[in-house]
Amino acid sequence: MAAAARRQTSWAQARELAAIAELTARRTAAEEADDHDYRILPAREAVTEEVAAALTVTGNTAATLVHLAEQLTGPLSRTGDALETGRIDMARARVICDVTDALPEQVTRRVEAAALEKASDQTTGQLRRRIKRIAQRLAPEAVEERRREAVRQRRLELWDNPSGTADLALCDLAAEDAHGIHNKITAAAHGLKADGDTRPIHVIRADLATQLLNGAPLPDAVHAVLAQAGATDQQNGGTLDLRDSAAAPRMAGIESSGAPRPNGAGPPTPAATAADPAGDAGSPNEDPAIPELAAMMARRLTHLRDRTPAAELPTAVNHAVQRTAARLARQRDALCQGDDDRHGRPGHRPPASMRREIEGRHATCVFPTCNQPSHRCDLDHTVPWRPGITCRCNLAPLCRRHHRLKQSPDWNLHHIWPGLLLWTTPAGAWYIVRPDRE
């Protein structure tokens, strides 16, 4: 039963990728007929955002799906067929796609043929090792150039975890550099184990790396980790034999230089490093009109979708949203103006107090799947400045990528009410964004 369910899942995933490939082909064909404007997002990247919103996935996940879709309906069509028939699953298809990426077409076909011979009987690790050897033998120059290109894209990445911790990773380093760093920290960690630290080696390695990345020289980092281990052991009711803690720098193979840092070389506290883009003001109280207006828009657009042909839906949705915004304009403007002499602020640049209000209202970019903190975003005029005004009913944080997407053909962003926004896509889909999206 489980195997049959897996085959059915593979078929469904193949159909999903085929739909994404068809969407990509249509959008990119439309772009090729026009000169590209640097101020808008290229069609292929706009498709990625369209897929991200439709499937409620991150931009990176959507980019992977678009790439897979193009490969499995193009040069790796046999792999796509194997996925659709259930002979392989998505994980194996991704391995084949990854290993053949940027290889010459003829080599890609040969590696794919070799991969599919045994793919259904191998784990992803076994499959990857086998076809990497084949690719290396058939196209060593292409493999080496792909490696160099990956190293040129090296980066430091950070992820938050559900447990409240975070992961920090150095990605796409040269293999010799990555192994050298790991081996050096591992050697120091084993020295600490020999010097009496009873904790698992992976914990010691993590603590050493944290100390070093926080700027401590290795001898100071070793002292700090030993002190940390002693404190941990005392909390657990045990005792830690540090033997000769002064020998720690020597066992790490480095002469001690300079006095230890005051209070050790520990990392800053979370309170010192956590960035709260909204400051300490807390979440603003949501306008009670927003939930009602959002529900009203959802009902109207759903009703419209059910009775409108697909070809006419994008235009119909945009017109319906514009009509609703126009009907609400007088109330919206009166709410924003209050007792002021005029609606909005003079000039294009909003005052600092207004920026803080907008960033407090929306903690992130207002694209539905974007997590870019608002303090790193452009404060965009939904209706461009002149005729648009600088007011909280016409300002929202957009990261640079989604700022360009907003200006792409057939994408629209509407500001229905202060803080209530609505995106429409080239396909006629819509996404309502409220201040409480998070």
Side-chain angles (χ1 to χ4, degrees):
M1 288 293 291
R6 174 63 66 91
R7 288 192 295 271
Q8 189 172 21
T9 300
S10 296
W11 173 83
Q13 290 171 329
R15 301 314 307 151
E16 177 184 298
L17 292 176
I20 293 172
E22 176 64 22
L23 178 66
T24 305
R26 292 183 183 183
R27 298 285 190 262
T28 52
E31 181 185 61
E32 289 170 0
D34 302 320
D35 292 332
H36 178 63
D37 186 341
Y38 74 93
R39 294 170 298 180
I40 68 175
L41 210 58
R44 191 176 184 279
E45 295 184 40
V47 168
T48 297
E49 299 305 327
E50 194 169 354
V51 170
L55 302 183
T56 319
V57 296
T58 64
N60 287 338
T61 299
T64 298
L65 289 173
V66 170
H67 180 64
L68 269 172
E70 291 180 315
Q71 293 298 104
L72 298 189
T73 57
L76 296 176
S77 57
R78 290 183 60 196
T79 302
D81 293 340
L83 179 66
E84 186 170 7
T85 57
R87 289 166 44 214
I88 62 173
D89 58 13
M90 178 71 93
R92 290 176 176 83
R94 287 193 61 175
V95 167
I96 297 171
C97 185
D98 290 345
V99 174
T100 58
D101 197 27
L103 294 182
E105 183 178 350
Q106 186 176 10
V107 174
T108 295
R109 287 199 298 268
R110 293 179 64 182
V111 173
E112 179 188 38
L116 293 177
E117 286 179 5
K118 300 181 179 179
S120 58
D121 298 322
Q122 291 184 312
T123 66
T124 53
Q126 293 168 339
L127 176 63
R128 187 184 300 276
R129 286 192 298 272
R130 185 168 70 88
I131 62 177
K132 279 181 68 176
R133 290 194 298 268
I134 296 172
Q136 180 68 45
R137 186 176 69 249
L138 294 177
E141 297 86 1
V143 171
E144 176 59 21
E145 176 54 33
R146 184 175 63 188
R147 186 195 70 81
R148 286 196 294 264
E149 177 58 30
V151 171
R152 285 192 285 268
Q153 303 298 323
R154 61 193 178 277
R155 61 208 177 275
L156 179 69
E157 293 189 355
L158 175 69
W159 304 276
D160 291 327
N161 295 324
S163 60
T165 60
D167 292 341
L168 184 69
L170 292 166
C171 302
D172 283 325
L173 296 184
E176 58 272 19
D177 290 339
H179 284 285
I181 293 168
H182 185 269
N183 291 343
K184 184 174 184 178
I185 292 177
T186 298
H190 280 297
L192 284 168
K193 286 284 285 186
D195 209 44
D197 193 334
T198 59
R199 297 175 301 164
I201 194 72
H202 64 269
V203 173
I204 304 175
R205 270 198 298 249
D207 287 348
L208 272 173
T210 301
Q211 297 290 339
L212 293 170
L213 288 172
N214 274 307
L218 183 56
D220 293 356
V222 168
H223 280 297
V225 171
L226 283 171
Q228 185 176 353
T232 301
D233 202 66
Q234 288 176 2
Q235 289 173 0
N236 293 334
T239 58
L240 177 65
D241 178 15
L242 294 180
R243 302 181 189 173
D244 179 14
S245 61
R250 295 197 297 273
M251 68 83 194
I254 291 184
E255 293 295 329
S256 178
S257 61
R261 295 184 177 185
N263 300 320
T269 63
T273 58
D276 180 5
D280 58 1
S283 298
N285 293 324
E286 184 182 82
D287 184 338
I290 287 180
E292 297 178 13
L293 291 172
M296 177 196 71
M297 289 302 306
R299 287 194 302 270
R300 288 186 178 181
L301 294 179
T302 300
H303 178 67
L304 179 67
R305 180 186 58 195
D306 293 342
R307 60 186 178 86
T308 305
E312 302 172 11
L313 187 60
T315 301
V317 167
N318 276 298
H319 286 171
V321 177
Q322 290 166 356
R323 287 194 300 270
T324 302
R327 282 197 294 269
L328 293 170
R330 180 176 297 180
Q331 295 170 272
R332 181 185 64 233
D333 294 350
L335 174 69
C336 288
Q337 183 172 346
D339 297 329
D340 294 341
D341 295 334
R342 59 181 294 176
H343 182 200
R345 297 291 184 271
H348 178 274
R349 188 181 181 88
S353 59
M354 184 176 291
R355 172 174 278 275
R356 287 194 297 270
E357 179 184 356
I358 304 302
E359 292 177 355
R361 186 176 72 191
H362 294 285
T364 63
C365 167
V366 295
F367 189 74
T369 61
C370 187
N371 293 310
Q372 185 71 264
S374 57
H375 68 280
R376 297 179 184 171
C377 294
D378 300 330
L379 206 55
D380 172 64
H381 289 74
T382 308
V383 177
W385 166 247
R386 292 184 177 173
I389 61 174
T390 301
C391 179
R392 61 194 182 100
C393 65
N394 193 46
L395 290 171
L398 281 176
C399 70
R400 188 57 53 86
R401 178 180 179 87
H402 294 122
H403 196 162
R404 294 172 67 200
L405 178 69
K406 175 198 165 200
Q407 299 171 152
S408 299
D410 301 321
W411 282 86
N412 292 282
L413 178 60
H414 306 272
H415 215 138
I416 309 297
W417 194 260
L420 178 64
L421 297 102
L422 189 145
W423 286 87
T424 61
T425 75
W430 67 87
Y431 302 95
I432 297 173
V433 181
R434 294 167 41 168
D436 62 351
R437 174 167 71 90
E438 188 174 18

